[in-house]
């Protein structure tokens, strides 16, 4: 077990350090942004918010030829967000004409209609506020294009800030951190499996670490070494205690962080975890998005989104936020996301409405419908992201996740120092002294008494 722990740790150590440190930073993404970006907030007023149609009208003029894809409302003192998604054009699409160009455009339109909801397997379950849009998929199912968030005063419609980011070109700081956390800043189809394998190894290291940590005898002297750090000891002893003791105290939290993180690395792990939590039921992955009725198609009126918002507000007066997605095609539904708590996603209610009749369209996935009506395995799956970052326990859980990730980053380092200290690299053995054969000293011949007397 010690041999396995050593060599698996040396093989995955650098990746574990990178993933752990980036995870530490990303845990407090929302809190850091709220502190630094003051344009996210407005002065609380007694007046009602403007309607989605009013905010979209103002934002569309600002963005000129672009069409809004979502509107997000937060608390009374938070800015509203009108979201846009600009699809990344591929080579041959820029001004392309003729049969081949038209065929490619038709195929892309078809792919977009089929893959609109594939974002369920993204890090955050369906909808970080203000950043949802129509998506174009590249390799590995990644969304290709630019996200634009227009922050507005929900009372006056004043544009407070325009924020743009994309996954590839000049991402913002936290997107850069997330790219390192999930794929080591490599292309996702390359980096994500590497991270997944390293995290899988890390789970084995946690198990083998507990085996090695387990006291041989439960007596006071041995227990103290397992649960306490002797800070006044030598550097080697303190380093060993930090690896041993901190590793034990953080083990259970790191286990949950690692297990939930693997859901985004391997499809087989995601399905297996759902199978275990559901008592043997398979994960239903309906990749088809809900469809609006296209038999009686009329041009979409943005004021329909106003009705959806007013109805949801009436049903959820204490909601921390509501996001409305704006359909781009006749078959697209109006999506709605109701956030029950700030900076949490697991207890979010998700709806789809026909864009003409506003009839609710149901679709069977773990993330659809109301959280309170979901079964236990679906609730656990919804909690996956919030368990991963600790937000399922609020700020306390985030602090625990931060400290556990920080310890996780230190374990490969302290473990390497322990291993290195036991090596004899470059040290010459002292030369062996030549063996000198001892000469036998002949025993003196004893003279008889007469001879002795004569000699004397």
């Amino acid at each position: 077990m010690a041999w396995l722990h050593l060599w698996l740790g040396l093989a995955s150590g650098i990746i574990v350090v990178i993933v752990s440190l980036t995870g530490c930073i990303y845990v407090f993404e929302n809190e850091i942004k709220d502190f630094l970006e003051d344009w996210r907030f407005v002065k609380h007023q007694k007046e009602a918010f403007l309607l989605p149609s009013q905010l979209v009208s103002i934002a569309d003029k600002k963005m000129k030829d672009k069409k809004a894809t979502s509107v997000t409302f937060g608390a009374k003192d938070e800015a509203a967000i009108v979201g846009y998604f600009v699809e990344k054009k591929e080579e041959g699409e820029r001004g392309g004409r003729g049969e081949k160009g038209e065929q490619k455009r038709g195929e892309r339109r078809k792919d977009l209609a089929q893959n609109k909801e594939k974002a369920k397997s993204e890090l955050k379950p369906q909808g970080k506020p203000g950043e949802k849009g129509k998506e174009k998929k590249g390799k590995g199912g990644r969304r290709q294009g630019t996200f634009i968030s227009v922050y507005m005063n929900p009372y006056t419609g004043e544009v407070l800030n325009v924020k743009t980011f994309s996954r590839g070109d000049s991402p913002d700081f936290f997107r850069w951190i997330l790219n390192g956390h999930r794929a080591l800043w490599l292309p996702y189809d390359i980096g994500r499996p590497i991270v997944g394998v390293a995290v899988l190894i890390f789970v084995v290291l946690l198990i083998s670490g507990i085996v090695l940590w387990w006291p041989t005898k439960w007596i006071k002297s041995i227990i103290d070494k397992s649960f306490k750090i002797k800070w006044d000891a030598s550097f080697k002893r303190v380093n060993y205690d930090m690896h041993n003791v901190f590793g034990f105290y953080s083990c259970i939290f790191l286990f949950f962080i690692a297990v939930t993180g693997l859901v985004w690395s391997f499809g087989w792990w995601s399905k297996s975890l759902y199978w275990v939590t559901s008592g043997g039921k398979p994960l239903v992955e309906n990749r088809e998005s809900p469809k609006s009725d296209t038999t009686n198609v009329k041009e979409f009126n943005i004021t329909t989104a106003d009705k959806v918002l007013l109805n949801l507000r009436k049903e959820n007066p204490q909601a921390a936020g509501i996001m409305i997605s704006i359909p781009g095609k006749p078959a697209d539904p109006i999506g709605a996301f109701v956030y029950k708590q700030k900076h949490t996603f697991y207890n979010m209610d998700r709806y789809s409405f026909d864009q003409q009749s506003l009839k609710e369209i149901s679709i069977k996935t773990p993330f659809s419908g109301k959280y309170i009506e979901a079964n236990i395995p679906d609730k656990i799956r919804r909690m996956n992201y919030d368990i991963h970052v600790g937000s399922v326990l609020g700020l306390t859980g985030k602090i625990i996740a931060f400290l556990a990730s920080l310890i996780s980053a230190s374990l490969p380092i302290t473990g390497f120092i322990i291993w290195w200290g036991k090596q004899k690299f470059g040290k010459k053995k002292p030369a062996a002294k030549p063996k000198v054969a001892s000469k036998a000293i002949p025993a003196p011949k004893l003279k008889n008494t007469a001879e002795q007397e004569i000699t004397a």
Side-chain angles (χ1 to χ4, degrees), residues 30-43 77-80 151-153 160-161 163:
N30 293 313
E31 287 76 10
I32 294 172
K33 284 183 176 181
D34 289 347
F35 178 75
L36 297 177
E37 300 173 348
D38 56 355
W39 35 265
R40 287 174 170 267
F41 299 92
V42 297
K43 186 177 180 180
D77 61 345
E78 291 183 317
Y151 290 82
M152 306 176 68
N153 188 316
L160 304 174
N161 191 48
K163 189 172 183 180

Side-chain angles (χ1 to χ4, degrees), residues 39 48 73 100 190 241 272 292-293 302 324 359 445 455:
W39 35 265
F73 293 90
K100 183 178 278 189
I190 298 174
D241 284 351
S272 300
S292 291
D293 184 7
I302 188 62
I324 307 295
K359 181 181 178 181
K445 293 181 180 180
T455 304

Side-chain angles (χ1 to χ4, degrees), residues 94-276:
R94 301 183 185 110
R97 294 182 180 180
E99 184 178 350
K100 183 178 278 189
E102 186 60 35
Q103 182 180 359
K104 286 185 177 181
R105 286 191 289 273
E107 291 174 354
R108 279 189 285 272
R109 284 193 293 267
K110 183 178 179 181
D111 290 340
L112 281 172
Q114 292 177 344
N115 297 332
K116 181 186 171 187
E117 295 298 325
K118 277 189 179 179
K120 294 185 187 111
S121 60
E122 291 295 320
L123 181 61
K124 291 187 180 178
Q126 283 300 319
K128 182 178 177 180
E131 294 184 355
K132 185 179 187 301
K134 301 297 182 263
E135 299 152 5
K136 182 180 180 62
K137 304 292 180 175
K139 291 182 179 181
R142 304 300 299 169
R143 292 178 285 182
Q144 302 295 314
T146 302
F147 295 88
I148 304 173
S149 297
V150 181
Y151 290 82
M152 306 176 68
N153 188 316
Y155 301 101
T156 64
E158 176 190 1
V159 176
L160 304 174
N161 191 48
V162 178
K163 189 172 183 180
T164 303
F165 82 89
S166 62
R167 283 192 170 84
D169 304 326
S170 302
D172 67 3
F173 174 73
F174 283 103
R175 172 54 59 179
W176 182 79
I177 288 294
L178 183 60
N179 288 343
H181 184 73
R182 295 203 62 198
L184 306 175
W185 299 288
L186 298 170
Y188 265 68
D189 54 340
I190 298 174
R192 188 164 60 177
I194 295 175
V195 170
V197 171
V199 175
L200 202 57
I201 291 174
F202 185 69
V203 173
V204 178
L205 290 172
L206 292 174
I207 298 171
S208 60
I210 287 295
V211 173
L212 296 174
W213 167 89
W214 199 264
T216 54
K217 293 182 180 180
W218 289 89
I219 59 178
K220 188 177 186 306
S221 58
I222 297 179
I223 291 175
D224 285 346
K225 293 179 181 179
S226 300
F227 290 94
K228 297 178 182 179
I229 298 175
K230 191 175 181 181
W231 294 105
D232 58 349
S234 65
F235 171 77
K236 282 188 175 181
R237 173 62 188 275
V238 172
N239 181 78
Y240 176 82
D241 284 351
M242 289 176 65
H243 187 83
N244 196 40
V245 177
F246 283 165
F248 165 73
Y249 284 125
S250 63
C251 181
I252 186 65
F253 303 107
L254 292 176
F255 179 79
F256 281 106
I257 291 173
V259 166
T260 53
L262 286 170
V263 167
W264 298 294
S265 293
F266 302 114
W268 61 267
W269 181 275
S270 175
K271 294 177 181 178
S272 300
L273 188 61
Y274 187 89
W275 184 86
V276 170

